[in-house]
């Protein structure tokens, strides 16, 4: 996900001055001081509104406007549009200039973020409750960017700089390669980071066309935390939707089908390898959590962490069987990327230059052991406890709750569950759920990508044979 912060907030300083402490949502739920509740309303124009109130003691209200689409909605002619819209979010719109926009928000001490992902574009704000309605109105204006010629041309340099910086990170680059190969450059396989040719070819007319199909009521979800539901609905009803396009052809989501693939990029420096398989989509909550549990069992570890803390994964399978057993390995980790209609599960590793083939084989062998072997009760219990803790911690802050809820509405099952409810699902996972996840892995074609001295990287067929042994 691409994220940027446009304004530095004075809210944190105001909170510190008042001596107010933020309590986690899970603590509030167990003490019973104030229960957390959510309400949902779908307006007649199609905008979905979700509010969450209670469960935390904080003076901050968080509001997020999420637009379904993202880079998966792009075509070969509009690649890079989502990345550009992220950078152009705080420029002029139909109601005010960029300067007016900045001055008003700075005057309120608002923290404003915009993020671009494969399935959505989001605008989120943290503000004091008294300013929530005013901030919501301003967020609604972001759905009507002017996208002037000079704004788009000026953004090219910023997008280019960010793309170069992100792709200079081997882990970011390998993730992009992995998804592009796994979904064969369609849907979820569209690049999230704008490639050089797309930056050069971008123009404001093409971007306006893409935005008009994306910024429609039917694609819009508004989430508010510590904002009364009636106030939130009234504010969203006041959004100007008169100029919204009735056609969404430019932002129609392409179906994503996992296929697997093979890519290698020759480069100097350390070897980086990722091996992935088809996993459950986010909308299949229980099965997706089973993959996350398997991810926890494989774990992660790094020699770059000098003093690992308890719970950092030193006893996990990848740490013990790959990192500790091979002094030339620098770091290893398992991952599970779940989207609305697809997902990938796999392992990643970094090793000394010239060890690409050995690293890939070691990772593949460990995946094979995980999906074909059995776990002891202690390992299973540790992984479930860690998963439960991560779910409960994911929505401790108002901003965390906004993201937690939005991901369920936009890219998940559509049903809003609390962290406690999802933790209960995780608690109920059994060995049979892990077997079901393992069966999906064994039945899919692997995706194998590497950066570095990749000449000895095993082929897709060779990796599949190792995992299936």
């Amino acid at each position: 996900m691409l994220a940027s912060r446009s304004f530095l907030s004075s809210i944190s300083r105001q909170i510190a001055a008042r001596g107010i402490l933020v309590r986690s949502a899970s603590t509030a739920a167990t003490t019973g001081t104030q229960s957390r509740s959510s309400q949902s309303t779908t307006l007649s124009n199609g905008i979905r509104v979700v509010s969450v109130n209670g469960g935390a003691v904080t003076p901050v209200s968080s509001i997020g406007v999420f637009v379904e689409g993202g880079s998966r909605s792009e075509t070969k002619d509009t690649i890079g549009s989502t990345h550009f819209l992220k950078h152009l979010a705080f420029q002029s719109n139909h109601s005010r200039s960029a300067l007016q926009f900045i001055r008003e928000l700075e005057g309120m001490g608002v923290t404003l973020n915009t993020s671009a992902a494969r399935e959505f574009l989001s605008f989120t704000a943290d503000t004091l409750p008294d300013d929530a309605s005013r901030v919501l109105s301003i967020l609604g204006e972001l759905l009507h960017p002017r996208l002037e010629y000079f704004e788009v041309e000026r953004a090219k340099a910023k997008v280019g700089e960010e793309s170069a910086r992100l792709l200079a990170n081997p882990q970011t680059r390998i993730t992009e390669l992995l998804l592009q190969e796994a979904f064969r450059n369609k849907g979820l396989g569209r690049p999230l980071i704008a490639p050089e040719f797309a930056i050069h070819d971008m123009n404001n007319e093409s971007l306006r066309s893409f935005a008009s199909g994306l910024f429609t009521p039917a694609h819009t979800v508004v989430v508010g935390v510590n904002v009364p539901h009636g106030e939130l609905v009234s504010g969203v009803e006041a959004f100007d939707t008169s100029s919204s396009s009735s056609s969404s052809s430019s932002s129609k989501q392409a179906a994503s089908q996992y296929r697997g693939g093979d890519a290698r990029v020759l480069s100097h420096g350390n070897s980086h390898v990722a091996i992935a398989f088809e996993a459950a989509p986010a909308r299949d909550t229980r099965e997706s959590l089973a993959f996350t549990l398997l991810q926890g069992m494989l774990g992660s570890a790094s020699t770059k962490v000098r003093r690992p803390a308890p719970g950092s994964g030193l006893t996990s399978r990848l740490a013990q069987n790959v990192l500790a057993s091979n002094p030339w390995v620098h770091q290893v980790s398992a991952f599970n990327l779940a989207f609305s209609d697809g997902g990938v599960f796999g392992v990643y590793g970094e090793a000394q230059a010239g060890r690409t083939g050995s690293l890939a084989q070691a990772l593949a062998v460990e995946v094979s052991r995980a999906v074909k072997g059995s776990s002891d009760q202690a390992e299973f219990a540790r992984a479930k406890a860690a998963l439960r803790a991560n779910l409960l911690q994911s929505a401790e802050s108002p901003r965390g709750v906004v993201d937690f809820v939005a991901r369920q509405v936009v890219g998940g099952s559509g049903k809003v569950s609390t962290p406690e409810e999802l933790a209960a699902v995780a608690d109920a996972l059994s060995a049979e759920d892990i077997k079901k996840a393992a069966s999906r892995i064994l039945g899919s074609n692997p995706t194998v990508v590497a950066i570095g001295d990749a000449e000895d990287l095993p082929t897709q067929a060779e990796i599949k044979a190792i995992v299936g042994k």
Side-chain angles (χ1 to χ4, degrees):
M1 182 171 69
L2 308 179
S4 65
R5 174 164 293 178
S6 178
F7 304 103
L8 294 178
S9 172
S10 63
I11 288 180
S12 58
R13 294 192 294 273
Q14 295 178 46
I15 292 174
R18 297 178 187 182
I20 299 172
L21 298 178
V22 178
R23 182 183 303 168
S24 72
S26 57
T27 301
T30 56
T31 60
T33 56
Q34 189 179 17
S35 61
R36 174 163 46 196
S37 63
S38 65
Q39 289 181 268
S40 302
T41 298
T42 300
L43 305 185
S44 58
N45 60 13
I47 297 179
R48 286 154 289 171
V49 183
V50 183
S51 67
V52 180
N53 289 283
V57 179
T58 171
V60 176
S61 296
S62 290
I63 303 170
V65 175
F66 294 77
V67 182
E68 290 180 320
S71 60
R72 70 170 298 167
S73 297
E74 297 169 0
T75 67
K76 61 182 179 63
D77 297 320
T78 59
I79 287 176
S81 295
T82 302
H83 196 168
F84 266 85
L85 288 175
K86 178 184 80 85
H87 279 273
L88 292 164
F90 307 139
Q91 297 302 307
S92 63
N93 55 57
H94 289 181
S95 300
R96 67 190 76 209
S97 67
L99 181 59
Q100 291 172 324
F101 182 84
I102 292 172
R103 281 180 173 174
E104 182 162 2
L105 288 174
E106 283 186 337
M108 290 186 285
V110 174
T111 300
L112 188 63
N113 285 64
T114 178
S115 298
R118 279 182 154 75
E119 297 197 283
F120 63 83
L121 184 69
S122 69
F123 316 109
T124 53
D126 292 336
T127 183
L128 295 175
D130 290 345
D131 295 323
S133 294
R134 188 175 167 194
V135 171
L136 176 60
S137 175
I138 295 174
L139 288 178
E141 294 174 8
L142 298 181
L143 300 176
H144 302 282
R146 296 187 67 86
L147 302 175
E148 300 288 3
Y149 172 82
F150 71 90
E151 292 176 332
V152 175
E153 292 302 307
R154 188 168 55 195
K156 287 185 177 182
K158 293 182 179 179
V159 174
E161 290 172 2
E162 184 175 60
S163 292
R165 174 175 55 81
L166 290 171
L167 293 176
N169 182 318
Q171 293 185 25
T172 301
R173 189 177 185 186
I174 209 166
T175 300
E176 281 288 288
L177 280 173
L178 180 78
L179 291 171
Q180 290 172 34
E181 287 298 319
F183 296 100
R184 300 291 177 89
N185 292 299
K186 294 181 179 179
L188 293 170
R190 293 289 187 193
L192 174 59
I193 301 171
E196 187 175 349
F197 77 87
I199 298 172
H200 178 271
D201 294 343
M202 188 61 64
N203 63 79
N204 69 316
E205 292 301 325
S206 171
L207 200 55
R208 282 175 176 173
S209 177
F210 179 80
S212 68
L214 191 71
F215 294 152
T216 65
H219 292 155
T220 305
V221 176
V222 179
V223 180
V225 176
N226 296 335
V227 181
H229 189 71
E231 178 183 335
L232 191 65
V233 170
S234 296
V236 177
E237 286 178 332
F239 281 10
D240 179 12
T241 58
S242 59
S243 60
S244 297
S245 171
S246 59
S247 171
S248 60
S249 59
S250 64
S251 62
K252 183 178 180 180
Q253 289 195 358
S256 292
Q257 181 179 357
Y258 177 91
R259 294 181 180 277
D262 186 319
R264 54 196 76 197
V265 177
L266 294 178
S267 175
H268 65 278
N270 289 342
S271 296
H272 299 264
V273 175
I275 302 172
F277 305 84
E278 183 180 15
R283 65 189 178 205
D284 297 338
T285 304
R286 186 181 181 108
E287 189 175 0
S288 182
L289 285 175
F291 275 96
T292 306
L293 183 60
L294 186 58
Q295 173 192 353
M297 292 167 62
L298 281 166
S300 63
S302 173
T303 58
K304 299 178 181 181
V305 180
R306 294 184 178 180
R307 296 181 179 178
S312 60
L314 289 179
T315 61
S316 66
R317 295 187 179 204
L318 287 176
Q320 293 292 317
N321 301 334
V322 179
L323 187 73
S325 302
N326 301 290
W328 40 267
V329 176
H330 295 313
Q331 61 177 321
V332 286
S333 61
F335 57 85
N336 178 43
L337 306 176
F339 302 96
S340 61
D341 61 347
V344 291
F345 171 89
V347 288
Y348 158 81
E350 178 188 357
Q352 293 175 3
R355 295 282 192 169
T356 306
S358 299
L359 175 61
Q361 290 185 43
L363 292 172
V365 166
E366 206 51 45
V367 171
S368 177
R369 289 173 177 169
V371 299
K372 300 186 73 176
S374 59
S375 60
D376 59 56
Q377 292 185 351
E379 179 187 37
F380 196 64
R382 281 197 304 269
K384 287 178 70 171
L387 175 56
R388 177 183 174 82
N390 288 335
L391 289 169
L392 294 176
Q393 292 171 4
S394 62
E396 288 190 325
S397 66
R399 174 64 63 84
V401 176
V402 168
D403 292 338
F404 183 84
V405 171
R407 289 180 182 277
Q408 295 181 67
V409 178
V410 175
S413 64
K415 175 183 178 295
V416 178
S417 300
T418 66
E420 292 78 14
E421 289 171 335
L422 291 181
V425 176
D427 283 339
L429 292 175
S430 66
E432 288 302 314
D433 293 297
I434 297 298
K435 289 181 180 179
K436 183 178 179 181
S439 178
R440 189 190 281 252
I441 290 172
L442 292 171
S444 71
N445 290 319
T447 302
V448 186
V449 294
I451 297 174
D453 183 8
E455 293 179 353
D456 62 343
L457 180 71
T459 65
Q460 183 187 36
E462 289 171 336
I463 292 294
K464 187 176 179 66
I466 295 173
V467 173
K469 279 185 180 179

